[in-house]
Amino acid sequence: MSTLPALVTEQDVHAAVQRLAIIDPGPSWVVTCYLKLEPRDRTRGKYLIRMKTRAKGLLLTHEGEPEVAATLRQVLDYLEAPNHLPHARAIAIFASQGLDLFETLPLPHVHRSRLAVAHEPLVRELVALDEEFGTILVVVYDRTAARFFEVTAYDCVELTALPALDASRASKFHGSGTAGEHNHHMRIRTEKQRFYAQIADRVFSIHRVRPLAGLLIGGVGPDGGAVIPHLHTYLHDLVMGVVKLNPKTATKAEVRDAALALREERERAWERAHAAALKDGVPEGWAVNGVEPTLKALSRGQVRTLLADGQDDDPRIDEAVEDGLRQRSQVDVLYDEKARRGVDVMAALLRFRR
């Protein structure tokens, strides 16, 4: 098998979901693998060690099921070959020897590395990923032009650029006299502000057509965040941050990497805030902390947001993640060390008071 591409398109994933969703539960067993492949997971083959450990547990649970053992071996053999791994941050594998099935998908993110055996493929995380990620608009600009990129879970598309039609050709004053220099710089400043307002209007128009989940500003120099004050008020909360990107040379891959990195940074901050609230006993909304209370809340359909430890190997966490996805709850797996201290393996924010 050849190396997987770094990205798949939204259409690729939707087509895969359709193929997998029509598999009705039957006698055959299906192995579903969601695997994180971030740099820390690739170090010294940690991802493979984690999957082998979980495979051993499944083999004990399904002892006497040769089809399960053969399919798990097929998945592990695939993961052991470095050229099979995509350059993406995650991969999903769906395999069944009884159904002659082996499907792989590179992904930008998965909640947690997990391995499961069932009579059907577990595709809810694929469906939830697109819904949760939404669309991040990245605006990369200088005083002469602005470029716009829509970053989704599976793609990065560049939209029509916006040129600064009245930008002065020269940025330095070449005349003589203080008044002339002052007028020159005032003209440059006015042109910049007018252009920043035009960029803000374009962002507003894009948001009206397709509501955004986030907004990332890119540029170089001291004017990198100069567009932000011109944005419509209710767009300010969407601003994820300002990153250094050169509008003349930035590639779609660089833009996408910047958006994913900043999105992950914001998620870690969210984790720390909510875990700290649980630890202090003053969470936002009604909450439970601990494995048993969380599982009980899940069984009652009360969980609005499920918080799970990303490092703990308790198999109940994987089952809770799948159950949370089935109930269309928000699922957040905690990898930040400070955030994990506030959560006793699993915790949840609830939909209503018990």
Side-chain angles (χ1 to χ4, degrees):
M1 297 182 184
S2 59
T3 304
L4 282 173
L7 293 174
V8 291
T9 66
E10 186 175 349
Q11 290 73 24
D12 291 335
V13 175
H14 288 175
V17 169
Q18 289 178 354
R19 289 194 300 271
L20 296 167
I22 62 175
I23 297 176
D24 293 325
S28 294
W29 292 99
V30 180
V31 172
T32 298
C33 172
Y34 288 102
L35 180 61
K36 293 178 71 68
L37 291 174
E38 296 178 8
R40 61 172 174 263
D41 302 299
R42 295 175 186 261
T43 303
R44 296 189 296 275
K46 289 181 181 178
Y47 72 92
L48 187 57
I49 295 171
R50 186 175 295 120
M51 286 298 102
K52 285 183 176 180
T53 300
R54 295 186 180 181
K56 287 179 182 178
L58 290 172
L59 286 171
L60 290 175
T61 304
H62 294 275
E63 191 174 4
E65 296 281 356
E67 183 187 354
V68 172
T71 304
L72 284 171
R73 184 69 263 166
Q74 186 182 16
V75 171
L76 292 176
D77 287 345
Y78 181 88
L79 293 175
E80 282 183 340
N83 68 307
H84 289 167
L85 300 182
H87 296 297
R89 292 169 175 251
I91 187 174
I93 302 175
F94 304 91
S96 172
Q97 290 220 333
L99 297 174
D100 193 23
L101 169 70
F102 198 89
E103 179 111 29
T104 61
L105 286 169
L107 300 173
H109 168 76
V110 295
H111 291 301
R112 171 180 166 87
S113 292
R114 54 195 181 99
L115 197 62
V117 175
H119 287 293
E120 61 183 329
L122 304 180
V123 297
R124 294 185 185 94
E125 186 160 349
L126 289 181
V127 177
L129 178 61
D130 192 28
E131 296 175 352
E132 293 174 2
F133 195 99
T135 300
I136 298 173
L137 181 67
V138 183
V139 183
V140 187
Y141 69 94
D142 57 17
R143 60 181 295 269
T144 63
R147 298 169 66 190
F148 302 85
F149 300 83
E150 283 188 342
V151 178
T152 62
Y154 308 111
D155 209 353
C156 179
V157 177
E158 183 168 5
L159 308 179
T160 304
L162 178 66
L165 299 178
D166 57 353
S168 299
R169 290 177 178 270
S171 60
K172 294 183 179 180
F173 178 66
H174 297 293
S176 60
T178 303
E181 183 175 3
H182 173 76
N183 291 337
H184 171 80
H185 289 301
M186 284 301 296
R187 184 176 71 252
I188 297 294
R189 177 182 174 84
T190 301
E191 290 172 355
K192 283 183 177 181
Q193 297 305 313
R194 187 182 299 123
F195 184 47
Y196 298 155
Q198 291 172 349
I199 294 174
D201 287 341
R202 174 68 70 84
V203 172
F204 180 71
S205 299
I206 293 171
H207 179 64
R208 289 185 64 183
V209 173
R210 182 173 183 177
L212 302 173
L215 177 60
L216 178 61
I217 308 297
V220 292
D223 294 333
V227 165
I228 296 176
H230 295 268
L231 294 171
H232 289 262
T233 305
Y234 65 84
L235 289 177
H236 285 186
D237 291 341
L238 295 178
V239 177
M240 300 166 60
V242 179
V243 295
K244 187 176 181 180
L245 286 171
N246 189 326
K248 291 182 172 59
T249 61
T251 65
K252 290 195 291 185
E254 290 172 339
V255 168
R256 179 178 172 78
D257 286 345
L260 291 177
L262 207 53
R263 182 180 184 274
E264 183 175 350
E265 183 180 316
R266 290 195 70 181
E267 286 182 342
R268 296 294 176 263
W270 185 95
E271 292 170 4
R272 290 191 291 270
H274 283 72
L278 284 164
K279 186 177 182 180
D280 295 339
V282 286
E284 297 179 7
W286 297 89
V288 293
N289 195 0
V291 176
E292 298 304 332
T294 302
L295 292 178
K296 183 179 291 186
L298 267 173
S299 68
R300 295 173 176 172
Q302 291 178 307
V303 173
R304 172 167 57 89
T305 302
L306 174 68
L307 305 176
D309 192 329
Q311 307 293 336
D312 199 294
D313 286 330
D314 191 328
R316 292 176 296 177
I317 299 178
D318 293 348
E319 295 170 7
V321 168
E322 186 62 29
D323 200 15
L325 292 169
R326 181 180 60 80
Q327 297 180 28
R328 301 185 68 83
S329 303
Q330 179 178 332
V331 176
D332 288 283
V333 179
L334 310 179
Y335 289 90
D336 181 87
E337 288 296 330
K338 291 183 179 178
R340 292 173 55 224
R341 294 192 198 113
V343 172
D344 186 12
V345 182
M346 277 195 289
L349 305 179
L350 306 184
R351 298 182 190 276
F352 49 83
R353 180 174 179 173
R354 292 176 295 165

